[in-house]
Amino acid sequence: MQQTEENENPQIEQTVQGSGEANGTSGNNGKGVKIAAGSAMAFIVLMGIVSMFSDMTHEGASSIMGAFLSMAGASAAAIGFVSGLGEFIGYGLRIVTGFVADKTKRYWPLIIVGYVVDMGAIPLLALIPKGGWMWACALMVVERAGKAIKKPAKDTLTSFAASQTGQGKGFAIQEFLDQIGAFIGPVILYVTMKLSGSMDPFRLYGLCFLILGIPAVITIALVVISKFKFPNPEKFEAPSKTSEPFKMKKPFVLYLVAISLFAMGYIDFNMITMHTAKLGLIDEKSLPLLYALAMGIDAFAALFFGWLYDKKGVRTLAWSTLIAAPFAVLIFGATSRTALIIGVLLWGIGMGAQESIMKSAVSSIVPKEGRSTGFGIFQTAFGLFWFFGSWLCGVLYDANITWMVVFSVAMQVLAVPFYLWSGALTGKSLAGSKE
């Protein structure tokens, strides 16, 4: 029985040989799979903690960004355009950085530089004067560019470690920790605002951005520590049996169509905070709590749907998309606080599933040697259509909110058959690692 298991899992056996190089400890055949899987899980958790402090920073900023830009003089169309542009640049550059990561295999330098740029932009928002919304928008773009530099390399290293734990489970754990930070960040800002007294709201937002510099510094320090603790995470996954250049196969193309439709219809949270502040459903000092609610749901949705992905495959994304699709109807089609909260809960479910499962599926489709390129192409397509969708939603919001709601729901529902088609073609290969 033992011999059979080894033959069925050559990847695990080979990974154990390099587990010492991956984590800086010595391994031996006697401890075999436990060492490899334990080291891989330690890496996933450590990088999850990095993501936790990172999201504490930029998701804390996102919780007030829509209202901040509005105070600085930006219109709804401008906020939608800039939100989409930031996402487009943040995702669009990933096709380049993903290719660079695959060719050079210098994953850690890309990750460290990306985090420095990403984290450095947020505290600088504290320097923006009233009327300076264009400068704030520029810093938003810089922050997203930092994410573009690091993300394909970071996701690739996570996918190597997740080959030992199950792709859905590995990415779900990291997403859970990520979203815990995304929950804590807005809560910190909420407490700051409550303790601020009668400070001018615009100046108060500047103070909030400055406070977010603390987790930003912690993030960069933890990334450096991670690099020295796990210098070679690629050792967690054995090379593919047949090395071939990355190819745009039909299941991957169909998957790109699905996530592009999803991205085009998923309204950016900046629009939600702006709309909420405009209607006065929640006072401005409590807006961070609304985002914290979304991120808290996102965290637990990521764990659940990541676990389900390892069991059911890409069909899980179809289910999560259908569950989340009505969020726009509740948030923008109604004027009650109850409808708003339920809509935000659905928004968080959709985002949690997207963040964990979409990357897991790419890991399952694309071989190790071309995975950063695969992540880059996937994330570029996602960003391009998020940009277009955000801009169009902003225009529709100014013209007719009902049409924006119809557009959002329609795009998400249209994505479902493409998820199912892609899953049917790839079969068990998209179901991740099995028990």
Side-chain angles (χ1 to χ4, degrees), residues 229-245:
K229 178 67 176 175
F230 294 93
N232 300 299
E234 59 271 25
K235 300 289 185 180
F236 286 124
E237 182 175 345
S240 303
K241 292 181 180 178
T242 57
S243 181
E244 60 180 72

Side-chain angles (χ1 to χ4, degrees), residues 244-299:
E244 60 180 72
F246 175 82
K247 293 180 180 179
M248 293 280 287
K249 295 181 179 179
K250 190 173 182 179
F252 188 69
V253 172
L254 291 171
Y255 187 66
L256 286 180
V257 173
I259 61 102
S260 297
L261 289 169
F262 172 88
M264 192 156 55
Y266 222 76
I267 299 172
D268 194 274
F269 208 87
N270 286 338
M271 293 287 292
I272 295 174
T273 55
M274 180 213 60
H275 177 74
T276 302
K278 195 173 183 180
L279 293 183
L281 294 175
I282 293 178
D283 69 87
E284 291 178 349
K285 291 186 177 181
S286 298
L287 281 178
L289 286 185
L290 191 66
Y291 194 67
L293 173 64
M295 294 300 98
I297 294 299
D298 182 321

Side-chain angles (χ1 to χ4, degrees), residues 13-45:
E13 181 181 1
Q14 292 180 46
T15 303
V16 171
Q17 303 295 329
S19 64
E21 294 180 62
N23 65 10
T25 62
S26 60
N28 58 65
N29 293 331
K31 295 183 179 179
V33 175
K34 288 185 178 179
I35 293 178
S39 297
M41 182 58 71
F43 175 77
I44 289 170
V45 171

Side-chain angles (χ1 to χ4, degrees), residues 180-208:
I180 291 299
F183 172 82
I184 294 173
V187 171
I188 290 174
L189 298 196
Y190 171 74
V191 173
T192 300
M193 290 178 173
K194 282 297 183 182
L195 296 176
S196 66
S198 58
M199 183 184 294
D200 173 69
F202 191 80
R203 288 182 58 204
L204 177 57
Y205 280 20
L207 174 63
C208 288

Side-chain angles (χ1 to χ4, degrees), residues 165-182:
T165 64
Q167 293 293 349
K169 180 180 179 182
F171 278 103
I173 290 172
Q174 193 165 109
E175 175 64 10
F176 175 78
L177 291 169
D178 186 297
Q179 296 314 115
I180 291 299

